[in-house]
Amino acid sequence: MIAALAGAAAGLVLNVALIEQFRGRSAITVFIATLGVALIVENLLVIIYGAANVSYTFAQGNLHHIGPFLWTTTDIEVMISALAVAGLIYLLLQRTRFGKAVRAVSQDRALAQVSGIPARRIVMQTWALAGAVAGFAGFMLALTIGTFSPTLGFSFLLLTITATVAGGLGRPYATLGGALIVGLMLQIAGTYTSSEYELVYAFLLLVILMLFRPNGVFVRRSTVAVRA
C-alpha cells in the first residue's frame, strides 16, 4: 500500500512538473523526456544513498511443481496479483464513468473538454493511477529478487519496452499477453544458453518485433491495395 501511494504521488508530480509542459508534443518526445527524468532521479538517489544493493530475506514459501513449471508460493502470489490488478484496471476502464472519460480524453482531448469532461483532472488521475500500479509492481519485483538499489528499475526497462511493443502500443490489455510472450521466450532461451544473456535476447526480440510486427503480435497486418 505504501509503495502504491508513493508511486501515485510520484505520478502526480511527474505530470504537473513535466508532462503538462509537453502537452501536444509527440509520444516519442514525452517518452524521451520521462526517460531523462528517470535518469536524473536515479543518479540523485545514488548520490544520496549510494549504489550498493540492499539485501533482505523474505520467506518464499514452498515449491510447487505445476506441469513443467516449478514455482514458489511467492511466485504464485505475484502472478495472482498481476492478474487481479489487470482485471481491476479492465473493469475501471470499461465499466466506470472515469474509464469512459479516460478513453474519451485519450482519443480527443479538445472534444472531451467541449463535451464537459474535466480533461486536466482526468489526466492527473490517470497519472496517479499509473504511478500507483508502477509502485505496486516495483514492490512485488523487489519482493521476488531479494535485493534493492536505486538502479533496480532500469535493469527491467528494456524488458518492459519489449513487452509493450509485443502487445502493441496503446493496447493496455494486449500488453499483458506481450509480457507473457517475452517472459516465456527469455526463459526458454536462457534454459538452452545462459540467463546472463537475457537483455541481449530481449534486445534481439525488440529488433525483430520492430522490423516485422511494429504494431504488436496481436494486431492483424493491414492489407494495402496498390493500383498501377
Side-chain angles (χ1 to χ4, degrees):
M1 180 61 73
I2 295 176
L5 291 176
L12 284 173
V13 172
L14 180 64
N15 174 65
V16 173
L18 181 71
I19 303 301
E20 283 295 324
Q21 312 305 320
F22 286 90
R23 188 178 9 169
R25 304 289 184 90
S26 64
I28 188 64
T29 301
V30 177
F31 171 74
I32 293 174
T34 54
L35 184 61
V37 171
L39 288 170
I40 293 172
V41 172
E42 176 188 314
N43 284 277
L44 285 175
L45 291 175
V46 170
I47 292 172
I48 297 173
Y49 298 103
N53 288 330
V54 177
S55 300
Y56 43 85
T57 302
F58 281 104
Q60 298 294 315
N62 299 323
L63 288 174
H64 304 275
H65 201 171
I66 303 175
F69 304 104
L70 189 62
W71 294 327
T72 65
T73 302
T74 300
D75 292 331
I76 296 175
E77 291 174 350
V78 169
M79 288 184 284
I80 293 175
S81 298
L83 291 174
V85 170
L88 289 174
I89 292 176
Y90 172 81
L91 293 175
L92 181 67
L93 293 178
Q94 299 294 330
R95 305 296 182 183
T96 65
R97 294 181 61 185
F98 170 73
K100 294 178 181 178
V102 169
R103 286 182 283 139
V105 172
S106 66
Q107 292 175 5
D108 193 323
R109 179 166 179 164
L111 181 59
Q113 280 185 301
V114 172
S115 302
I117 297 175
R120 177 177 168 79
R121 189 178 70 189
I122 293 298
V123 170
M124 291 183 64
Q125 292 173 346
T126 303
W127 274 96
L129 175 62
V133 173
F136 178 75
F139 168 76
M140 297 305 291
L141 173 62
L143 178 65
T144 57
I145 63 177
T147 59
F148 183 84
S149 73
T151 61
L152 172 65
F154 267 78
S155 60
F156 291 87
L157 179 62
L158 181 59
L159 301 179
T160 304
I161 294 174
T162 306
T164 303
V165 173
L169 295 175
R171 297 167 60 88
Y173 312 125
T175 301
L176 183 61
L180 288 174
I181 292 174
V182 172
L184 287 173
M185 291 189 67
L186 294 183
Q187 289 299 316
I188 293 172
T191 300
Y192 291 100
T193 55
S194 173
S195 59
E196 294 180 357
Y197 300 111
E198 185 177 78
L199 294 181
V200 176
Y201 297 137
F203 183 75
L204 178 62
L205 179 58
L206 178 61
V207 171
I208 293 173
L209 288 170
M210 293 300 293
L211 287 174
F212 299 103
R213 304 292 295 185
N215 294 325
V217 297
F218 301 107
V219 179
R220 292 183 178 180
R221 293 185 178 182
S222 58
T223 303
V224 180
V226 179
R227 295 182 179 180

